Amino acid sequence: MAMLSKKIQREQLKPGDHIYSWRQAYIYAHHGIYVCDGKLIHFTRGAGQEIGTGTALNRIIFSSSPSHSSDNPCPICGDQSRLDGVLSSCIDCFLSGGDLYLFEYGINPAVFLAKPRGGTCTLASSDPPEDVLHRAFFLLANGFGVYHVFKNNCEDFAIYCKTGLLVFTSFSIGRSGQAGSILAASSAVISSPLRFLTTSFSGLAFVGYGIYCISRLASDIGVRRDVSKVAVEKLVDRSG
C-alpha cells in the first residue's frame, strides 16, 4: 500500500496541502489539512475514534490521533484525548508514529485506476491554497457537522477544504475515496451473478475487478454529478 501512495517528507509540506497517514496496518487512513509551522487541521470523532459505525468495528478500528493520553499530554497541543470535531494539532500527534503521505488532486483516470485503494487521490482539481486555508480555519472555529464514517469523515473534511464540493443527495455516500472503495467492493460482490459469463478463475477475477474499478471511478468526487460548490459560510449555516 505504501508503494501506491505518495510519501513525502515534512520539509516538502506547503500550506494548504491535504495529507494523510495510514493506520492499523493500512486498514484506513486519517486525513487533514496542513497549515504551517508543523500544525494542521483535521476532523475526528470523540475520544480519538476515527469511525462510528454502531457495530463491533468500533472496537477494532479507531484513530490513534491524538496519540497522547490525558496522563501524558502533548507539550504543543495539550490534552486533546477527550476532544472531537475539527481540531488543530501538531504533525506528530496527527501522524502518531506513522508515515506522511500527500493526497493528489487533478490526476487522470488511468492513474486513478492504477491505484486500487481509494483515499489517496481524486480526479477533482484543488482550489488555491488561500481558499483551502480559509475553509479549514473557518471550520475549525465553526465545526463540520456530525461525524459519519460514510458521509462525513476526516477525508470528506479535507476534500471539502480543498475543493469546496458538497454532495447534495442524502442517499449517497460522501466525498471520501475510502468509503467509495467499500461501496465499489460491495458492488463487485453483489454483481457475482456475472460469474456465469466466464468459467475460469482468472476470468472471474477480471470481471470482479473490472466492476470494482468502474464503481470506484463512478463514485469519485471529480466525476460525480450530485455535487455542487458550496461556500463554507453557507455550509455552516445549513448544518446549523
Side-chain angles (χ1 to χ4, degrees), residues 187-188 190-198 203-204 207-208 211:
S187 299
I190 293 172
S191 302
S192 58
L194 289 176
R195 64 182 183 275
F196 296 114
L197 297 177
T198 179
L204 176 61
V207 170
I211 295 173

Side-chain angles (χ1 to χ4, degrees), residues 53-198:
T53 64
T55 70
L57 284 176
N58 286 356
R59 303 176 183 177
I60 302 173
I61 306 175
F62 59 91
S63 172
S64 50
S65 178
S67 59
H68 293 267
S69 66
S70 58
D71 297 330
N72 182 33
C74 172
I76 298 175
C77 304
D79 181 13
Q80 294 187 329
S81 61
R82 298 183 181 276
L83 300 180
D84 62 359
V86 183
L87 304 178
S88 174
S89 304
C90 70
I91 196 165
D92 286 323
C93 284
F94 175 81
L95 294 178
S96 190
D99 293 321
L100 177 64
Y101 297 92
L102 180 68
F103 194 97
E104 299 176 87
Y105 285 82
I107 68 170
N108 63 59
V111 175
F112 181 88
L113 293 175
K115 298 185 176 185
R117 178 68 183 273
T120 63
C121 59
T122 178
L123 278 68
S125 299
S126 170
D127 288 335
E130 53 270 24
D131 294 342
V132 178
L133 294 174
H134 169 69
R135 295 183 187 117
F137 278 109
F138 192 90
L139 294 174
L140 176 63
N142 296 277
F144 191 60
V146 179
Y147 191 100
H148 190 286
V149 63
F150 291 114
K151 295 185 178 182
N152 203 49
N153 58 37
C154 61
E155 186 183 347
D156 288 308
F157 168 80
I159 290 177
Y160 174 75
C161 288
K162 291 286 286 187
T163 65
L165 295 175
L166 185 69
V167 177
F168 57 78
T169 51
S170 60
F171 55 84
S172 61
I173 63 170
R175 301 159 292 278
S176 169
Q178 296 182 93
S181 290
I182 296 174
L183 177 64
S186 301
S187 299
V189 172
I190 293 172
S191 302
S192 58
L194 289 176
R195 64 182 183 275
F196 296 114
L197 297 177
T198 179

